Amino acid sequence: MASIHLRNVDVDFPLYSGASRSLKTSLLHLGSGGRIGRTVSDRMCVQALTKVSLQLKDGDRLGIIGPNGSGKTTLLRVLSSIYEPSAGQVFIEGSVASLFDVALGMDTEGTGYENITLRGMLLGLSRSEIEKKVHDIAEFTELGDYLSIPVRTYSSGMLLRLAFAVCTSVEPEILLMDEWIGVGDARFLEKARVRLDDFVHGSSILALASHSNDLIRQVCNKAVLMDKGSVSAFGEVKEIIEYYEQNY
């Protein structure tokens, strides 16, 4: 059974040696709302997350909300193991798939078919698993013979179709998304929406960061409000969004 447990997680991004007490250092500290400070080794750092604790279980659909720079994307990247916490503990049970940059890992010199294999392996699929999915992926993209030529010849829309089709062919227990995905023209967009809905519903846990409160209301059953790298509020979607809209 899938689960996520974050306990007092900090994420710091070092900037430079903070030995000197310069005017620049003081201005940076003030301009960041106090989120730029010193570590124990006296190194200047951005405190991206501070004492973040969360627990999610099977069936949870978490909406991550908050103003720009509040730590939403950083939190998702901790959950996907892109960022390692500076302090605290992260416990994750279940396979994880992240849809931050669906075109990440594409080889522009490789063909569409070669990139299906490459991207599938990056998502944790074996070659035999990819082979079973190739026909479905190729059919969904509607790219036809273009799949046999290098993707550097593709338009941005064609590349996005291919990447989206591969990403949504896996079956993760935990799905992480930074904003909802829109793909291609109006006709293909509807086709992609149906596939994405099925993809999301097939996961045990969803964590979705978005600036669209309406989307969060529609998709999620829980919400966390991030503010200056910390959890400001956590609970049912309706009450957290109401609090956010009234106070921010």
Side-chain angles (χ1 to χ4, degrees), residues 85-116:
S86 307
Q89 296 172 300
V90 178
F91 304 97
I92 296 178
E93 291 288 340
S95 58
V96 179
S98 55
L99 297 187
F100 303 151
D101 182 353
V102 293
L104 182 66
M106 288 286 184
D107 177 9
T108 57
E109 293 300 321
T111 67
Y113 283 118
E114 289 170 341
N115 274 284
I116 289 174

Short mmCIF file of all heavy atoms in Angstrom, two decimals, residues 85-116:
data_model
loop_
_atom_site.label_atom_id
_atom_site.label_comp_id
_atom_site.label_asym_id
_atom_site.label_seq_id
_atom_site.Cartn_x
_atom_site.Cartn_y
_atom_site.Cartn_z
N PRO A 85 16.83 16.11 1.23
CA PRO A 85 16.66 17.04 2.36
C PRO A 85 17.98 17.37 3.04
O PRO A 85 18.87 16.52 3.14
CB PRO A 85 15.74 16.27 3.31
CG PRO A 85 15.05 15.26 2.47
CD PRO A 85 16.05 14.88 1.40
N SER A 86 18.11 18.62 3.48
CA SER A 86 19.27 19.02 4.28
C SER A 86 19.12 18.50 5.70
O SER A 86 20.11 18.27 6.39
CB SER A 86 19.38 20.55 4.30
OG SER A 86 19.37 21.08 3.00
N ALA A 87 17.87 18.32 6.11
CA ALA A 87 17.58 17.77 7.44
C ALA A 87 16.20 17.14 7.38
O ALA A 87 15.40 17.42 6.49
CB ALA A 87 17.63 18.87 8.50
N GLY A 88 15.90 16.30 8.36
CA GLY A 88 14.61 15.64 8.40
C GLY A 88 14.62 14.31 7.68
O GLY A 88 15.66 13.85 7.18
N GLN A 89 13.45 13.67 7.60
CA GLN A 89 13.35 12.33 7.03
C GLN A 89 12.19 12.24 6.04
O GLN A 89 11.14 12.87 6.23
CB GLN A 89 13.15 11.30 8.14
CG GLN A 89 14.32 11.20 9.12
CD GLN A 89 14.01 10.32 10.30
OE1 GLN A 89 13.08 10.58 11.06
NE2 GLN A 89 14.78 9.26 10.48
N VAL A 90 12.40 11.45 4.98
CA VAL A 90 11.38 11.20 3.97
C VAL A 90 11.18 9.70 3.84
O VAL A 90 12.14 8.97 3.54
CB VAL A 90 11.77 11.79 2.60
CG1 VAL A 90 10.70 11.48 1.56
CG2 VAL A 90 11.98 13.30 2.71
N PHE A 91 9.96 9.23 4.06
CA PHE A 91 9.63 7.81 3.93
C PHE A 91 8.57 7.66 2.84
O PHE A 91 7.48 8.24 2.95
CB PHE A 91 9.09 7.25 5.25
CG PHE A 91 10.01 7.43 6.43
CD1 PHE A 91 9.84 8.49 7.31
CD2 PHE A 91 11.06 6.54 6.65
CE1 PHE A 91 10.68 8.66 8.39
CE2 PHE A 91 11.91 6.72 7.73
CZ PHE A 91 11.72 7.78 8.60
N ILE A 92 8.90 6.92 1.78
CA ILE A 92 7.96 6.73 0.67
C ILE A 92 7.83 5.24 0.37
O ILE A 92 8.83 4.55 0.15
CB ILE A 92 8.41 7.48 -0.59
CG1 ILE A 92 8.40 8.99 -0.33
CG2 ILE A 92 7.51 7.15 -1.78
CD1 ILE A 92 8.87 9.82 -1.51
N GLU A 93 6.60 4.75 0.35
CA GLU A 93 6.32 3.37 -0.03
C GLU A 93 5.53 3.39 -1.34
O GLU A 93 4.49 4.04 -1.43
CB GLU A 93 5.49 2.67 1.05
CG GLU A 93 6.22 2.41 2.36
CD GLU A 93 7.25 1.30 2.24
OE1 GLU A 93 7.15 0.49 1.29
OE2 GLU A 93 8.17 1.26 3.08
N GLY A 94 6.03 2.72 -2.37
CA GLY A 94 5.33 2.66 -3.64
C GLY A 94 6.16 3.26 -4.77
O GLY A 94 7.05 4.08 -4.55
N SER A 95 5.86 2.85 -5.99
CA SER A 95 6.55 3.39 -7.17
C SER A 95 6.08 4.81 -7.43
O SER A 95 4.92 5.15 -7.23
CB SER A 95 6.26 2.51 -8.39
OG SER A 95 4.87 2.43 -8.65
N VAL A 96 7.02 5.65 -7.89
CA VAL A 96 6.75 7.08 -8.07
C VAL A 96 6.99 7.47 -9.52
O VAL A 96 7.99 7.07 -10.13
CB VAL A 96 7.66 7.93 -7.15
CG1 VAL A 96 7.39 9.42 -7.37
CG2 VAL A 96 7.46 7.55 -5.69
N ALA A 97 6.07 8.25 -10.08
CA ALA A 97 6.26 8.84 -11.41
C ALA A 97 5.99 10.34 -11.30
O ALA A 97 5.03 10.76 -10.64
CB ALA A 97 5.30 8.22 -12.43
N SER A 98 6.85 11.14 -11.92
CA SER A 98 6.68 12.59 -11.87
C SER A 98 6.50 13.15 -13.27
O SER A 98 7.21 12.76 -14.19
CB SER A 98 7.89 13.25 -11.19
OG SER A 98 9.09 12.88 -11.83
N LEU A 99 5.54 14.06 -13.43
CA LEU A 99 5.29 14.72 -14.70
C LEU A 99 5.64 16.20 -14.57
O LEU A 99 4.79 17.07 -14.66
CB LEU A 99 3.82 14.56 -15.12
CG LEU A 99 3.33 13.14 -15.39
CD1 LEU A 99 1.92 13.17 -15.96
CD2 LEU A 99 4.25 12.40 -16.33
N PHE A 100 6.92 16.49 -14.31
CA PHE A 100 7.37 17.88 -14.22
C PHE A 100 7.74 18.40 -15.60
O PHE A 100 7.28 19.44 -16.02
CB PHE A 100 8.59 18.00 -13.29
CG PHE A 100 8.36 17.48 -11.90
CD1 PHE A 100 9.39 16.97 -11.16
CD2 PHE A 100 7.09 17.48 -11.34
CE1 PHE A 100 9.20 16.49 -9.88
CE2 PHE A 100 6.87 17.00 -10.07
CZ PHE A 100 7.93 16.50 -9.33
N ASP A 101 8.59 17.67 -16.29
CA ASP A 101 8.99 18.02 -17.65
C ASP A 101 8.88 16.75 -18.47
O ASP A 101 9.78 15.90 -18.45
CB ASP A 101 10.43 18.55 -17.65
CG ASP A 101 10.89 18.98 -19.04
OD1 ASP A 101 10.13 18.74 -20.00
OD2 ASP A 101 11.99 19.52 -19.16
N VAL A 102 7.76 16.59 -19.18
CA VAL A 102 7.50 15.32 -19.86
C VAL A 102 8.53 15.03 -20.94
O VAL A 102 8.72 13.87 -21.34
CB VAL A 102 6.08 15.29 -20.47
CG1 VAL A 102 5.03 15.29 -19.38
CG2 VAL A 102 5.87 16.44 -21.44
N ALA A 103 9.21 16.05 -21.46
CA ALA A 103 10.21 15.84 -22.52
C ALA A 103 11.61 15.60 -21.97
O ALA A 103 12.56 15.45 -22.75
CB ALA A 103 10.22 17.03 -23.47
N LEU A 104 11.74 15.54 -20.64
CA LEU A 104 13.06 15.34 -20.04
C LEU A 104 13.65 14.01 -20.47
O LEU A 104 13.00 12.98 -20.44
CB LEU A 104 12.93 15.37 -18.51
CG LEU A 104 14.23 15.23 -17.72
CD1 LEU A 104 15.12 16.44 -17.95
CD2 LEU A 104 13.93 15.07 -16.23
N GLY A 105 14.92 14.03 -20.89
CA GLY A 105 15.60 12.79 -21.26
C GLY A 105 15.48 12.40 -22.71
O GLY A 105 16.01 11.36 -23.12
N MET A 106 14.81 13.20 -23.52
CA MET A 106 14.68 12.89 -24.94
C MET A 106 16.02 13.09 -25.65
O MET A 106 16.72 14.08 -25.41
CB MET A 106 13.61 13.77 -25.59
CG MET A 106 12.19 13.42 -25.19
SD MET A 106 11.66 11.90 -25.99
CE MET A 106 9.95 11.82 -25.43
N ASP A 107 16.36 12.17 -26.54
CA ASP A 107 17.58 12.26 -27.36
C ASP A 107 17.16 12.79 -28.73
O ASP A 107 16.51 12.10 -29.50
CB ASP A 107 18.22 10.89 -27.49
CG ASP A 107 19.45 10.90 -28.39
OD1 ASP A 107 19.90 11.99 -28.77
OD2 ASP A 107 19.95 9.80 -28.70
N THR A 108 17.55 14.03 -29.02
CA THR A 108 17.08 14.66 -30.26
C THR A 108 17.61 13.97 -31.52
O THR A 108 17.01 14.10 -32.59
CB THR A 108 17.49 16.15 -30.30
OG1 THR A 108 18.91 16.26 -30.17
CG2 THR A 108 16.80 16.92 -29.17
N GLU A 109 18.72 13.25 -31.40
CA GLU A 109 19.25 12.54 -32.57
C GLU A 109 18.61 11.17 -32.76
O GLU A 109 18.76 10.55 -33.81
CB GLU A 109 20.78 12.39 -32.44
CG GLU A 109 21.53 13.70 -32.51
CD GLU A 109 21.30 14.44 -33.83
OE1 GLU A 109 21.23 13.78 -34.89
OE2 GLU A 109 21.19 15.68 -33.79
N GLY A 110 17.94 10.68 -31.73
CA GLY A 110 17.28 9.38 -31.82
C GLY A 110 15.93 9.48 -32.49
O GLY A 110 15.31 10.54 -32.54
N THR A 111 15.44 8.36 -33.01
CA THR A 111 14.11 8.32 -33.62
C THR A 111 13.03 8.34 -32.55
O THR A 111 13.31 8.19 -31.35
CB THR A 111 13.94 7.06 -34.47
OG1 THR A 111 13.92 5.91 -33.59
CG2 THR A 111 15.05 6.92 -35.48
N GLY A 112 11.80 8.50 -32.98
CA GLY A 112 10.69 8.46 -32.04
C GLY A 112 10.64 7.13 -31.31
O GLY A 112 10.45 7.08 -30.09
N TYR A 113 10.82 6.03 -32.05
CA TYR A 113 10.79 4.70 -31.42
C TYR A 113 11.94 4.53 -30.42
O TYR A 113 11.75 3.96 -29.34
CB TYR A 113 10.88 3.61 -32.49
CG TYR A 113 9.58 3.39 -33.23
CD1 TYR A 113 9.50 3.62 -34.60
CD2 TYR A 113 8.44 2.94 -32.56
CE1 TYR A 113 8.31 3.42 -35.29
CE2 TYR A 113 7.24 2.72 -33.25
CZ TYR A 113 7.18 2.98 -34.61
OH TYR A 113 5.99 2.78 -35.29
N GLU A 114 13.12 5.03 -30.77
CA GLU A 114 14.25 4.93 -29.85
C GLU A 114 14.00 5.73 -28.59
O GLU A 114 14.39 5.32 -27.48
CB GLU A 114 15.52 5.42 -30.54
CG GLU A 114 16.03 4.46 -31.62
CD GLU A 114 17.15 5.04 -32.46
OE1 GLU A 114 17.30 6.29 -32.47
OE2 GLU A 114 17.85 4.26 -33.12
N ASN A 115 13.34 6.86 -28.73
CA ASN A 115 13.03 7.68 -27.56
C ASN A 115 11.93 7.09 -26.71
O ASN A 115 11.89 7.33 -25.50
CB ASN A 115 12.67 9.10 -28.00
CG ASN A 115 13.90 9.98 -28.16
OD1 ASN A 115 14.48 10.43 -27.18
ND2 ASN A 115 14.32 10.21 -29.40
N ILE A 116 11.05 6.32 -27.30
CA ILE A 116 10.05 5.60 -26.51
C ILE A 116 10.76 4.64 -25.55
O ILE A 116 10.45 4.57 -24.36
CB ILE A 116 9.07 4.83 -27.41
CG1 ILE A 116 8.14 5.80 -28.13
CG2 ILE A 116 8.25 3.83 -26.58
CD1 ILE A 116 7.22 5.14 -29.15
#
